[in-house]
Amino acid sequence: MAVLGSGPAGFYTAYKVMKNIQDASVDMYEQLPVPFGLVRFGVAPDHPDVKNCQDQFSEVASSPNFNFIGNIDVGRDLPLTSFRDHYDAVVFAYGASKDRKLGIPGEDNLKGIYSARAFVGWYNGLPEYADLAPNLEAGEEAVIIGQGNVALDIARTLLCDIDRLQKTDMTEQAIATFAKSRIKRVRVVGRRGPMQASFTIKEVRELMKLPSVSFEQISPHLFPPNLKALPRTPMRLMELLSKGSTVSHIEALRTWSLDFFLSPVSFNPVHPSADRIGSMTFVKNQISEGDPFDRSARVSATEEHTLLPACLAFRSIGYRAEAIPGMLEIGVNFDSQRGIIPNDGIGRIITQTDEGVTTLPGMYCSGWVKRGPTGVIASTMEDAFLTAEAITEDWETKAPFLKGGDGWQSLANEVKVGAPRTVNWKGWQQIDTAEKLEGFKRHKEREKLTSVNEMLQALR
């Protein structure tokens, strides 16, 4: 079985299939020389416990039936069509590598505007964004558009004390940038109300507990009149939001707020001829459909606008997956509108034919490219297990699969001339050792290598 992608979706699918099917063999392909995807490059540096799943993934990789092929761009370095002739099954688990855009004036031409993916990738050492160089010294006001957990991760990183960051595996380059930050006020803006926000209680609680950071109280009318009548999880979250922070505005060095019922209209320059953001214009929203305290309540724009100062802005409105070159040739019709591979909801890839909807033999998907970029690692695990169970069921019932073969052993000969050298699991372990050694010198867990060249130089 080939697994395209080495993040949680890929590893959890591989783990379950290898557990369910005796002697199952897995080749895992990864575009970077290093594994673990968003666990390495997306999880907040001050959440090391969330990264513990890497230990389980490493255990999977220790099996003699597992093979890691890193630093290979499937679809470009290696034709996707070749996979049909060398595997029984192919699992697409490569996640969502692009971010969604707002499509409003100023977004593409003003400095100081960043996507959440780029900013988080930069401070987590993702090579693609190693040279982002965000300017955190331009002013004191930052605005984050979106109210998910990633938005709160960014807010916490901007607001917390530098000592907290220095103890993490955040890159030294990023720590040096945060040490010079002038940001004192962070607004996290959403288009609906508190009951519809997608952040969770853990992230809010962490922000509320930050030393010397105060929270701007939310207007009571935005909460349901009787919080005790809510189910336990939303009740606890609403109580936490209504209670706020224990740090007063007088003693606070920095402040943050959750601003509701606002949709961005434009990014504005600091002055007419400037090339840097100075403010944002938002339109005020109102509930247009449903109970205002229901999770599914909808909003519509009013005619009222508001201007918020912003020397720095982040859009945190979700990621999106893209098709791999060659998908159409193997019958996979990627849904670019939804950013997913059409599937049966379990993990089998489907396609439309003259006879109706049918599954593609031996073709599966898992994780964000299957269901869209939502949920946490635990939900990705559950989703991956569903895909693995589908593969297991199909194998046990002798459903049609691909041609089979000996996988990478033969496929290696079809890598295009001039493609970079590939990295196996032993190679990743050498990179891992080099990072930990550098981290030890700096009294931290690791110092990540932030370029592919640096990673390859660590190989012996």
Side-chain angles (χ1 to χ4, degrees):
M1 181 175 84
V3 176
L4 310 187
S6 69
F11 265 106
Y12 280 126
T13 305
Y15 161 76
K16 199 69 169 177
V17 168
M18 292 171 75
K19 183 179 180 183
N20 289 351
I21 302 175
Q22 188 175 2
D23 296 326
S25 179
V26 172
D27 288 343
M28 181 173 283
Y29 293 82
E30 167 58 49
Q31 190 172 351
L32 288 168
V34 296
F36 307 139
L38 277 182
V39 177
R40 177 180 168 101
F41 296 118
V43 172
D46 58 347
H47 285 176
D49 52 316
V50 179
K51 302 181 184 184
N52 288 341
C53 57
Q54 291 179 170
D55 296 337
Q56 184 181 359
F57 300 161
S58 296
E59 192 176 325
V60 172
S62 68
S63 166
N65 290 336
F66 179 93
N67 186 27
F68 176 75
I69 305 105
N71 201 36
I72 188 161
D73 192 350
V74 173
R76 292 184 173 85
D77 297 337
L78 182 62
L80 200 51
T81 50
S82 301
F83 282 71
R84 290 180 300 188
D85 300 328
H86 298 285
Y87 290 99
D88 294 298
V90 176
V91 180
F92 295 88
Y94 59 89
S97 62
K98 301 298 176 185
D99 67 281
R100 296 184 184 277
K101 301 192 79 171
L102 291 163
I104 59 175
E107 184 173 18
D108 295 324
N109 61 297
L110 291 178
K111 295 177 182 176
I113 303 166
Y114 306 96
S115 73
R117 183 178 185 274
F119 191 65
V120 172
W122 164 74
Y123 65 61
N124 272 325
L126 183 61
E128 181 182 354
Y129 297 113
D131 299 323
L132 189 70
N135 183 357
L136 307 186
E137 302 174 66
E140 299 182 353
E141 301 265 0
V143 171
I144 304 170
I145 303 135
Q147 293 185 330
N149 283 339
V150 175
L152 295 199
D153 282 345
I154 292 173
R156 189 179 66 256
T157 307
L158 289 169
L159 292 164
C160 75
D161 192 86
I162 193 65
D163 291 343
R164 177 181 175 125
L165 300 179
Q166 286 172 334
K167 298 169 186 174
T168 71
D169 66 356
M170 179 181 282
T171 66
E172 286 298 309
Q173 177 195 43
I175 289 171
T177 301
F178 280 109
K180 295 182 284 187
S181 172
R182 291 180 55 208
I183 298 296
K184 291 184 178 179
R185 177 78 166 82
V186 177
R187 295 179 184 271
V188 185
V189 184
R191 63 186 181 87
R192 297 192 293 170
M195 285 294 293
Q196 293 86 37
S198 55
F199 48 67
T200 52
I201 194 166
K202 180 180 183 289
E203 279 67 28
V204 175
R205 187 184 291 118
E206 281 187 280
L207 271 162
M208 294 295 188
K209 288 184 175 180
L210 285 180
S212 304
V213 176
S214 66
F215 176 68
E216 190 174 295
Q217 287 296 130
I218 299 170
S219 175
H221 83 273
L222 295 180
F223 295 109
N226 183 11
L227 297 184
K228 298 295 182 185
L230 295 172
R232 186 172 182 270
T233 300
M235 178 192 72
R236 290 173 61 223
L237 179 55
M238 292 306 111
E239 286 179 341
L240 178 62
L241 290 175
S242 61
K243 182 181 177 183
S245 169
T246 56
V247 180
S248 71
H249 288 294
I250 296 172
E251 59 183 324
L253 298 177
R254 293 171 290 276
T255 62
W256 74 289
S257 64
L258 289 165
D259 297 70
F260 300 102
F261 294 107
L262 296 175
S263 290
V265 174
S266 67
F267 296 98
N268 312 313
V270 66
H271 58 78
S273 60
D275 62 355
R276 167 164 287 282
I277 184 176
S279 66
M280 286 193 68
T281 301
F282 290 86
V283 63
K284 293 186 177 182
N285 296 328
Q286 62 186 5
I287 296 290
S288 61
E289 191 177 320
D291 180 345
F293 303 119
D294 188 274
R295 289 280 300 169
S296 59
R298 297 187 177 185
V299 295
S300 59
T302 66
E303 294 184 2
E304 191 176 353
H305 291 74
T306 187
L307 194 72
L308 298 180
C311 66
L312 198 63
F314 303 90
R315 59 175 185 271
S316 183
I317 55 171
Y319 299 163
R320 64 179 294 108
E322 289 192 331
I324 293 177
M327 273 185 164
L328 273 178
E329 286 92 320
I330 61 171
V332 178
N333 294 296
F334 186 85
D335 185 341
S336 55
Q337 191 78 27
R338 298 170 62 199
I340 63 167
I341 295 173
N343 63 88
D344 64 355
I346 299 172
R348 300 176 183 91
I349 295 177
I350 58 175
T351 189
Q352 184 76 43
T353 66
D354 294 338
E355 288 77 38
V357 175
T358 183
T359 57
L360 290 176
M363 297 284 188
Y364 302 87
C365 55
S366 178
W368 282 5
V369 77
K370 165 184 166 184
R371 71 181 193 279
T374 58
V376 293
I377 291 174
S379 50
T380 296
M381 178 184 70
E382 292 171 10
D383 177 87
F385 284 178
L386 267 181
T387 297
E389 293 298 343
I391 297 169
T392 304
E393 180 185 332
D394 291 350
W395 187 256
E396 291 176 346
T397 58
K398 302 193 184 319
F401 274 80
L402 299 173
K403 293 180 181 179
D406 51 6
W408 173 246
Q409 194 172 333
S410 295
L411 204 52
N413 299 320
E414 299 189 31
V415 175
K416 290 183 178 177
V417 176
R421 66 175 289 189
T422 57
V423 177
N424 59 20
W425 194 256
K426 184 180 178 182
W428 150 242
Q429 289 175 320
Q430 291 172 353
I431 294 169
D432 184 43
T433 299
E435 290 185 340
K436 286 179 175 176
L437 182 61
E438 193 59 36
F440 177 77
K441 296 175 186 175
R442 300 169 185 263
H443 307 287
K444 56 197 288 191
E445 183 195 346
R446 72 172 65 237
E447 177 60 25
K448 292 176 184 171
L449 300 175
T450 59
S451 77
V452 170
N453 282 340
E454 285 179 326
M455 293 172 183
L456 297 180
Q457 286 169 13
L459 303 181
R460 298 188 292 274

